[in-house]
Amino acid sequence: MGWAAEEFKDLDLGDARRTRRLIKLVDDLSAQPTGSIPVACGGWAETKAAYRLLDNPATDWREILEVHTQQTIKRMQGQPVVLCVQDTTEADFTSQPGIAGLGRLSYDAQHGMFAHPTLAMTPSGLVLGATDCWMWARKPKGQPDIKESIRWVEGYTIVADLAETVPGSRLVYITDREGDIRAVM
């Protein structure tokens, strides 16, 4: 059994074929982590199947992350110190107009989305997995939008709650300077 099959053995996407497809896609993407989906999948049929899977309403990224998070927590067990590192990544899709659901990025002429994961790792740099991810797209200027700084507070709360599930480990919450806000302190 490959690592992706082991990681997602408890995942139920409502159809065994969807779950198998997800496991294959994760294997393909992990074999070529810097490649696009078409490059990682290696063929048109596999690429089309991957896009159908990702576009399927039964495929909810939160459910997939939750199964991965449970496996991450198992890997955290017994680690004396776990660093819980948060930072925001900007996914820029400016060169691909027409993708629905994207918003403005750092500059108004750019469009894309943001991902703000919490990665659990050992002090020696061994990544144990993700425990959380906050994803969003900004609305156009002038429209009411979420207060983005809340992601740091929610991230801290999730790490604090996780500390109760791994009592033998010291969880250290790490942010960049943007996370240095009064609400977190």
Side-chain angles (χ1 to χ4, degrees), residues 96-117:
Q96 300 175 3
I99 299 175
L102 301 179
R104 61 187 170 82
L105 297 175
S106 300
Y107 304 100
D108 287 340
Q110 295 175 302
H111 70 277
M113 61 177 287
F114 297 93
H116 186 81

Side-chain angles (χ1 to χ4, degrees), residues 24 67 73 88 137 143 170:
K24 179 172 180 358
V67 169
I73 292 168
T88 304
Q143 289 188 15
R170 173 180 282 182

Side-chain angles (χ1 to χ4, degrees), residues 138-153:
R138 287 182 180 147
K139 293 185 179 174
K141 276 192 171 178
Q143 289 188 15
D145 212 345
I146 57 172
K147 186 174 181 181
E148 292 180 12
S149 62
I150 195 71
R151 69 190 185 275
W152 300 103
V153 177

Side-chain angles (χ1 to χ4, degrees), residues 30 174 179:
S30 66
I174 300 173

